[in-house]
Amino acid sequence: WDGDVARWEEAFFEAIASRTFLPNSPTLMNAGTEIGQLAACFVLPVEDTLASVFDAVKSMAVIHQSGGGTGFDFSPLRPAGDVVQGTPGVASGPVSFMGVFDAATAVVKQGGRRRGANMGVLRVDHPDVLEFIRVKRDRTRLTNFNISLATTDAFWRAVETEAGVALMNPRDGSVARRVHARSLLAEISEGAWASGDPGVLFIDAVNRANPTPRLGPLSATNPCGELPLLPNEACNLGSLRLDAFVRDGRFDWECLDRAVDLGVRFLDDVIEASRY
């Protein structure tokens, strides 16, 4: 962009060499290579068809191969035991399909640059919510996933008023059954205590702060949960080492401000250079 390339090159080198600022791992690993994929993580769409599920598995594998992570909202998938259109079979449900993603992640990590990471999200009003909450109490299952419940304002109001929550079949919007909101919250709390999962997303609050609502609703995050992303959107992460800004026992806020400005400029350049 006709800027002073040498000046920025020196500033970027100094920040990275001093560990004051670092971009995400795919940038460190892939910049200057044929791969050229510099984004940290992607959110991939999963729709209620077998083709969509396995398209997402394929895209996930390619992203993991490049060192990126992936997040998914499995809420559109019909619940276990539901009808499957055009066949005499029954649906296996979102938790079962998550096992396919988990197995593919385990295989790809053997040849990739680092272990793959996933975020699996399910709405709190999905009929398979209890299976989802409990799945990671078995330490051998979904070992390549963090999982989070997308909780709604309506759910938390029901917790406050000791009311019930309708679990809705995403295939047709019908009510599968009702559960007590506080009982559901107790299950969430016990699961989080036992295994660290599930986490909780306040999905209505997230969408109230959605900066691009005309592009669609936000329903999932990157694997560590820092950033809600739209389907097929990627996040561009960097980090600052805060102890680098301590001077004689005091925090140097002006130095931090300069580092933030440099980091933002660096990450802008990452977007330009990355092969999406």
Side-chain angles (χ1 to χ4, degrees), residues 2 6 11 25 35 53 58 63 72 114 119 130 136 146 154 158 163 176 184 190 192 221 243 245 253 266 268 273:
D2 300 320
S25 299
I35 298 172
V53 168
K58 175 185 175 181
I63 290 166
F72 309 89
R114 63 172 181 169
M119 170 65 80
L130 282 173
K136 291 197 72 175
N146 293 325
L184 203 54
E190 289 170 12
T221 73
D243 67 307
F245 308 107
W253 293 99
F266 189 106
D268 282 346

Side-chain angles (χ1 to χ4, degrees), residues 7-8 11-12 15 20-21 240 244-247 251-266:
R7 179 173 75 86
W8 284 110
F12 290 164
T20 303
F21 166 82
L240 297 169
F245 308 107
V246 177
R247 306 282 188 273
F251 198 85
D252 189 334
W253 293 99
E254 291 184 3
C255 185
L256 175 66
D257 284 344
R258 291 193 296 273
V260 168
D261 288 343
L262 179 137
V264 169
R265 170 58 194 266
F266 189 106

